[in-house]
Amino acid sequence: MNQLPSEMASTGPATVILPPRQTLPVVFASPHSGRQYPQDLIAQARIGSFELRASEDAFVDQLFNAAPKLGAPLLCATFPRAYVDVNRAAMELDPRMFDGDLPDDSDINSMRALSGLGSIPRVVSGGVEIYKGRLPVDEAFMRIDTFYRPYHGALQKLIDQTRDHFGYCILIDCHSMPGDSCDSMKNRVDLVLGDCYGSSCHPSLTRFVEDCFRDMGFAPSHNDPYAGGYCTRHYGRPQEHVHSLQIELSRALYMDEATISPHRGFDVLRDQMTDLITRFHDLDGTLL
């Protein structure tokens, strides 16, 4: 059996929970479930703490918390998405947010930045403005250096170590979506699998995960309406034996969105995600 040695978990901007022995060539990551809201964000915000949580993938890290005991590392951002969004390129910045000049390499024309959803978000989910006024441009650089880069540094290290040992690595980027995200779709959708239209992983991986979910009774969608964010696109390089797949779980499955609290479906869904992680032991990785 392939194994990697155990290491102590690290904490900080990125919490890494390692298995006693890594037996799966899989890294699970939860970039948007951080809930340690910095005091400077609360002081600068024009909205309250509850409203700030509108963009949070609440409790997703807990849904996948069995990964380490089942042989796979779990990476979780501790800071909130409303403060720094690591599922964007570092320099996707909205110049309207800041006092001061942004560097020439800033992607100020990104559709995400222009809509207020860059690496330093201007709005929370629903388009509600976060800040009372403009921020000093040095604030953006501080957040990127202090929070964004450590998260991606930890993720890259986990990917490299896993690929070096097993010959390939699978990144499962774990997210949640509002329960009404797919209301306009004709058929019921419980979750969305995003592989950037086939570019971020081998199709056998997407089929495997989709079949696992269908066996559990879920109704998955593929790339619609979420095809995969920055992490899925950036790290998913099948030609280099790194395969990335984004999972968006409907929040209606496990939480009351009005109160941001788990409901009775939470334990059921967590058990199902534990089952999903276990099934990766059966994945035929010869094509990866």
Side-chain angles (χ1 to χ4, degrees):
M1 181 180 293
N2 287 324
Q3 295 182 329
L4 283 176
S6 172
E7 297 179 30
M8 294 296 291
S10 62
T11 58
T15 295
V16 180
I17 308 171
L18 295 164
R21 303 285 292 180
Q22 186 172 347
T23 58
L24 285 173
V26 188
V27 174
F28 290 87
S30 180
H32 289 162
S33 58
R35 47 195 171 268
Q36 295 179 10
Y37 283 76
Q39 285 302 311
D40 61 312
L41 172 61
I42 294 172
Q44 294 163 334
R46 62 189 297 172
I47 56 178
S49 300
F50 186 85
E51 289 79 9
L52 281 172
R53 298 190 68 189
S55 296
E56 183 184 314
D57 285 350
F59 316 115
V60 166
D61 56 336
Q62 297 176 34
L63 291 171
F64 288 88
N65 67 3
K69 73 178 182 182
L70 295 173
L74 174 64
L75 171 67
C76 309
T78 59
F79 53 88
R81 179 186 188 182
Y83 193 60
V84 179
D85 191 342
V86 293
N87 203 24
R88 301 287 184 262
M91 300 310 291
E92 282 188 272
L93 297 169
D94 182 350
R96 296 170 295 179
M97 289 183 63
F98 305 106
D99 283 326
D101 295 328
L102 293 172
D104 292 340
D105 63 348
S106 300
D107 189 359
I108 61 174
N109 295 314
S110 156
M111 289 301 296
R112 289 171 292 273
L114 291 173
S115 64
L117 296 170
S119 59
I120 311 296
R122 176 172 50 83
V123 301
V124 293
S125 181
V128 178
E129 295 273 347
I130 296 174
Y131 296 100
K132 300 171 185 174
R134 292 163 71 94
L135 302 176
V137 71
D138 288 345
E139 174 82 8
F141 305 148
M142 180 280 291
R143 294 188 194 182
I144 290 169
D145 288 341
T146 306
F147 297 90
Y148 184 99
R149 298 198 192 284
Y151 179 89
H152 281 281
L155 180 53
Q156 187 67 66
K157 181 178 179 181
L158 290 172
I159 289 172
D160 290 345
Q161 289 178 334
T162 301
R163 180 179 57 180
D164 289 347
H165 190 82
F166 294 93
Y168 67 96
C169 176
I170 295 168
L171 170 63
I172 302 296
D173 209 43
C174 307
H175 297 261
S176 67
M177 61 184 184
D180 59 2
S181 289
C182 301
D183 279 358
S184 62
M185 302 180 76
K186 187 174 182 179
N187 299 314
R188 177 186 125 223
V189 173
D190 296 316
L191 59 99
V192 180
L193 301 179
D195 60 11
C196 301
Y197 302 102
S199 67
S200 68
C201 68
H202 192 278
S204 64
L205 173 61
T206 305
R207 286 196 300 269
F208 173 82
V209 175
E210 183 172 358
D211 288 346
C212 289
F213 278 124
R214 289 193 186 280
D215 287 347
M216 295 180 208
F218 289 104
S221 176
H222 185 199
N223 289 322
D224 183 18
Y226 304 106
Y230 172 79
C231 291
T232 308
R233 297 191 312 272
H234 178 73
Y235 292 103
R237 300 178 182 180
Q239 69 279 8
E240 299 176 18
H241 306 292
V242 179
H243 302 263
S244 183
L245 182 67
Q246 178 177 286
I247 298 177
E248 294 269 1
L249 297 168
S250 172
R251 292 172 194 157
L253 293 170
Y254 70 93
M255 64 178 279
D256 181 338
E257 294 178 76
T259 61
I260 315 182
S261 58
H263 59 49
R264 61 185 180 181
F266 177 86
D267 289 339
V268 174
L269 185 60
R270 182 172 56 186
D271 289 345
Q272 290 168 317
M273 295 308 99
T274 299
D275 184 24
L276 172 68
I277 297 165
T278 301
R279 293 188 187 205
F280 273 98
H281 285 286
D282 301 324
L283 174 66
D284 180 2
T286 55
L287 297 177
L288 306 179

